[in-house]
Amino acid sequence: MSEKIGLIAGKGQFPRIFAQAAQAQGHQVVAVAHRGETDPALADLVDQIHWVYVGQLGKIIKIFKGAGVRQAVMAGGIDRVRLFKNFRPDLKTLNLIRRVGPGQDDRLLRAVAGELEQEGIIIVPSTLFLEELAVPAGVLSRRRPSSEELKDIDLGFKVAREIGRLDIGQCVVVRRQVVVALEAVEGTDETIRRGGRLAGAGCVVVKVSKPGQDLRFDVPAVGRETIMIMGEVQAKVLALEAGKTLIFDRPQMITLADRDGIAVWGV
Amino acid sequence: MSEKIGLIAGKGQFPRIFAQAAQAQGHQVVAVAHRGETDPALADLVDQIHWVYVGQLGKIIKIFKGAGVRQAVMAGGIDRVRLFKNFRPDLKTLNLIRRVGPGQDDRLLRAVAGELEQEGIIIVPSTLFLEELAVPAGVLSRRRPSSEELKDIDLGFKVAREIGRLDIGQCVVVRRQVVVALEAVEGTDETIRRGGRLAGAGCVVVKVSKPGQDLRFDVPAVGRETIMIMGEVQAKVLALEAGKTLIFDRPQMITLADRDGIAVWGV
């Protein structure tokens, strides 16, 4: 029997990919989309779409209850910059922030999930229906990282885990054993661009999930876009945490990586 | 008796300030200046100036030996971006990099100091003659940080110590308990600008020395420039590690901070 699934949609292609996979597996998708964040094209891929401003938790609950949604996923992050600009918290959101405090993402998201659960709506991992997108261990591209690049990958992973443990960011750019750029609020794309601008061609990009990451929230994902940006700055390796990061549009992404001589590596 | 002191000059105003203080205390200053990094105005403030490219360690040794220099300081960092662009290592530098590996700053600088010492030239702390520039504990500006800002300062210090411990950077920008920007190779100025651009007005900037920092190298310093950049992005607090960071041109800096309502705080 087809079941309704709620989709709390953020930015990027993740909501679209989730919606397609869920429908392909016979589910009805009720999406809550965030103005200024979610791709409007999502409308064509779901059974219902409702637009809210970032921060309108009360409205999301009302929409899901009205549509009879009992389980939902969060797919596609909300730009953290949003927390500073055009943020329109409703009463429920304000109370929640007052209770848990602003700041660390996951704590806030966990509290949001808790609020939804109290209303009978369970948040399930966004990787539901998408197991096959998880990055496998090993080399995915034609080119393998060189022994010098492997050293940079090691350093990048070590540092990325520290940054992740502090719940700050997930991406680190390294070149020749120097940490060139660390991600905080600017996001992975800008971190890669900055690293490339500062250190020139040949950078190694490492992206990990946070240690103890709750896979219901903010699963790190990469895709064709990531490789396009790496191509612009002539970065040469993308190292990803196997099992805990996702790749969207993998065939196109790997084709592009191979064209630019970029090694893609699941660690 | 007046003694000769060598000055390995990097960028910024630190070499100039050191030279003036050393001469005021009766020393002759023999400067080695780095092309593309060191302010040419240094020439007027020292007894001798010799220009080298970044990476010419052998030449520095030859210059100091020729001038009879027995002790020297390093003042003003070399832009770490230099290690990727226009870097012209001579044979001595290449051997040294081969031995210690590239990457972590301090290990490399310690090795440079070791090479100089073998030639009878001792590297002494660049804070020599400049003790009065060390940031004292407490509030230096008219405005004190608010209780909300104090929480951001706490978070910033915690994170900055981690980043420093990994020998990556010294500066962290926080707003409302969110870590907005982390410094790596781009330097403090760009980190402040990025944080302000992403999070808007009201950021808290924290700058610390690395735990276990060798005060002979790369002492973190701030000055009028730092406050000017903070003013541009309407950042509101500058928190500095007392005793282990320096303030240049303090009167002008504090005047500017007071004009813009920026709290300056030694922790």
Side-chain angles (χ1 to χ4, degrees):
Chain A
M1 198 193 79
S2 138
E3 210 187 327
K4 272 185 187 161
I5 187 145
L7 165 57
I8 302 174
K11 65 190 159 72
Q13 50 188 338
F14 197 175
R16 207 175 66 226
I17 286 164
F18 176 85
Q20 286 172 317
Q23 288 202 322
Q25 291 171 50
H27 295 270
Q28 279 185 47
V29 180
V30 178
V32 173
H34 288 86
R35 287 176 202 277
E37 294 285 292
T38 308
D39 182 354
L42 182 64
D44 300 331
L45 302 170
V46 295
D47 297 279
Q48 290 180 38
I49 193 161
H50 304 268
W51 290 88
V52 300
Y53 289 98
V54 174
Q56 296 188 305
L57 178 57
K59 192 164 174 188
I60 292 176
I61 289 170
K62 200 172 288 174
I63 291 165
F64 281 164
K65 287 179 104 169
V69 164
R70 304 288 297 278
Q71 59 177 356
V73 303
M74 298 179 180
I78 299 297
D79 210 324
R80 294 174 76 180
V81 172
R82 280 279 152 186
L83 295 174
F84 304 111
K85 288 172 188 165
N86 303 320
F87 181 45
R88 300 200 192 183
D90 61 18
L91 200 63
K92 223 172 183 70
T93 306
L94 277 176
N95 283 333
L96 186 142
I97 291 177
R98 198 166 299 134
R99 215 174 57 239
V100 299
Q104 263 92 10
D105 257 9
D106 276 10
R107 206 174 34 165
L108 208 56
L109 288 171
R110 200 162 283 124
V112 168
E115 287 286 330
L116 285 157
E117 271 178 38
Q118 280 191 8
E119 306 281 344
I121 301 152
I122 308 298
I123 299 293
V124 296
S126 53
T127 49
L128 191 71
F129 315 131
L130 298 173
E131 296 298 337
E132 77 279 11
L133 299 186
V135 173
V139 66
L140 304 181
S141 55
R142 250 196 324 256
R143 190 168 80 74
R144 306 178 71 84
S146 69
S147 63
E148 279 305 307
E149 287 167 344
L150 285 172
K151 281 192 225 161
D152 287 347
I153 293 173
D154 274 355
L155 174 60
F157 262 88
K158 183 184 142 210
V159 172
R161 286 216 185 80
E162 296 285 330
I163 306 302
R165 193 174 52 76
L166 296 164
D167 197 2
I168 296 172
Q170 303 167 326
C171 175
V172 170
V173 180
V174 181
R175 187 173 169 226
R176 290 191 197 153
Q177 294 286 290
V178 175
V179 176
V180 178
L182 297 179
E183 178 188 13
V185 158
E186 70 277 35
T188 297
D189 295 354
E190 192 178 328
T191 306
I192 296 172
R193 282 199 189 94
R194 183 170 75 247
R197 183 164 42 77
L198 291 164
C203 286
V204 169
V205 176
V206 174
K207 186 155 180 165
V208 302
S209 80
K210 290 174 279 197
Q213 176 137 31
D214 189 326
L215 288 176
R216 294 178 303 165
F217 322 128
D218 194 23
V219 184
V222 295
R224 208 164 58 94
E225 277 279 308
T226 318
I227 297 290
M228 282 175 64
I229 291 163
M230 288 180 63
E232 281 168 27
V233 299
Q234 299 181 57
K236 283 299 174 212
V237 178
L238 178 60
L240 302 164
E241 189 172 8
K244 293 183 173 175
T245 42
L246 301 180
I247 295 188
F248 300 141
D249 49 39
R250 181 162 154 189
Q252 299 93 313
M253 175 182 159
I254 298 300
T255 302
L256 208 59
D258 285 339
R259 192 198 68 186
D260 290 347
I262 293 171
V264 181
W265 179 262
V267 180
Chain B
M1 196 193 80
S2 139
E3 211 187 326
K4 272 186 188 159
I5 186 145
L7 166 58
I8 302 174
K11 66 189 158 75
Q13 50 187 340
F14 197 174
R16 206 175 67 226
I17 287 165
F18 176 85
Q20 286 172 317
Q23 289 201 323
Q25 290 171 53
H27 295 269
Q28 280 184 47
V29 179
V30 177
V32 173
H34 288 86
R35 287 176 201 276
E37 294 285 293
T38 308
D39 182 354
L42 182 65
D44 301 331
L45 302 170
V46 294
D47 297 278
Q48 292 181 37
I49 193 162
H50 304 267
W51 289 89
V52 300
Y53 289 98
V54 173
Q56 296 188 305
L57 177 57
K59 193 165 173 187
I60 292 177
I61 289 171
K62 200 172 287 172
I63 291 164
F64 282 166
K65 287 180 104 170
V69 164
R70 304 288 297 279
Q71 59 176 356
V73 303
M74 297 178 179
I78 298 298
D79 210 323
R80 294 173 78 180
V81 172
R82 279 278 152 189
L83 295 174
F84 304 110
K85 290 171 186 164
N86 303 320
F87 182 46
R88 300 200 192 184
D90 61 17
L91 200 64
K92 221 171 185 71
T93 306
L94 277 177
N95 282 333
L96 185 141
I97 291 177
R98 198 165 301 134
R99 216 174 58 238
V100 298
Q104 263 93 10
D105 257 7
D106 276 10
R107 204 173 37 163
L108 207 56
L109 288 171
R110 199 162 283 123
V112 168
E115 288 285 329
L116 286 156
E117 271 178 36
Q118 279 190 9
E119 306 282 345
I121 300 152
I122 308 299
I123 299 293
V124 296
S126 53
T127 48
L128 190 71
F129 315 131
L130 297 174
E131 297 297 338
E132 78 278 11
L133 299 186
V135 174
V139 66
L140 303 181
S141 54
R142 248 194 326 254
R143 190 168 80 75
R144 305 179 71 85
S146 69
S147 62
E148 279 305 306
E149 288 168 343
L150 285 172
K151 281 191 225 162
D152 287 347
I153 293 173
D154 274 355
L155 175 60
F157 262 89
K158 183 185 142 211
V159 172
R161 286 216 184 83
E162 296 285 329
I163 307 300
R165 192 175 51 77
L166 295 164
D167 197 3
I168 297 173
Q170 303 166 326
C171 175
V172 171
V173 180
V174 181
R175 187 175 168 223
R176 292 191 196 153
Q177 294 287 288
V178 174
V179 175
V180 178
L182 298 179
E183 178 187 16
V185 158
E186 71 277 33
T188 297
D189 295 354
E190 192 179 326
T191 305
I192 296 172
R193 281 199 189 94
R194 184 171 71 249
R197 183 163 43 76
L198 291 164
C203 286
V204 169
V205 176
V206 174
K207 186 157 180 165
V208 303
S209 79
K210 291 174 280 197
Q213 176 136 31
D214 189 325
L215 288 176
R216 293 177 303 166
F217 322 128
D218 195 21
V219 184
V222 295
R224 208 164 58 93
E225 277 279 308
T226 317
I227 297 290
M228 281 174 66
I229 291 164
M230 288 181 62
E232 281 168 27
V233 298
Q234 299 181 56
K236 282 301 174 212
V237 178
L238 178 61
L240 302 164
E241 190 173 6
K244 292 183 173 175
T245 42
L246 300 181
I247 295 187
F248 299 142
D249 48 37
R250 180 162 154 189
Q252 299 94 313
M253 174 181 159
I254 297 300
T255 302
L256 208 59
D258 285 340
R259 192 198 68 184
D260 290 346
I262 293 171
V264 181
W265 178 262
V267 180

